Amino acid sequence: MSFSKDELAVIRRAYAKQILAAAGIADEDLEHAFTAERREHYLGPPPWFLARYDGYYEIPSSDPAVLYQDCVLSIHQERNVNNGSPALHAGRCIPCK
């Protein structure tokens, strides 16, 4: 059973807060960006693969909720292209105000 659209919105908001906390950043605009963007949109359809130092591991779920964690996920395994660590990306953002 997958999470509903409304439940995923809550999961994405919690994910955004966790990512910014891990990066040591408090910025409402950046939090909104991490909340609004659907991570699964950039990864394509399941199966999804977690990138680790020793290879790729299939995530045994097709529920997008499992993608909302601070981990590196594969975009194209054969080319070693990954989406990067969310907290690392947040830490490199310099909000314009």
Side-chain angles (χ1 to χ4, degrees):
M1 179 176 190
S2 294
F3 285 91
S4 71
K5 181 179 176 181
D6 290 339
E7 290 169 326
L8 274 174
V10 172
I11 290 167
R12 280 196 307 274
R13 185 163 182 242
Y15 160 78
K17 289 186 175 293
Q18 292 169 359
I19 295 306
L20 295 184
I25 297 172
D27 183 273
E28 287 183 19
D29 292 336
L30 195 53
E31 181 180 321
H32 176 72
F34 272 97
T35 298
E37 286 302 318
R38 296 178 309 139
R39 199 168 191 205
E40 61 274 21
H41 177 77
Y42 299 96
L43 300 172
W48 297 303
F49 292 85
L50 183 64
R52 298 279 175 124
Y53 66 92
D54 60 344
Y56 293 98
Y57 297 90
E58 185 173 342
I59 296 173
S61 175
S62 62
D63 189 331
V66 300
L67 303 176
Y68 292 96
Q69 53 184 312
D70 191 19
C71 64
V72 177
L73 298 163
S74 172
I75 294 174
H76 194 287
Q77 288 181 49
E78 294 77 23
R79 294 175 48 202
N80 291 319
V81 177
N82 304 312
N83 73 339
S85 169
L88 180 62
H89 289 304
R92 293 182 182 264
C93 290
I94 302 172
C96 300
K97 297 224 176 206

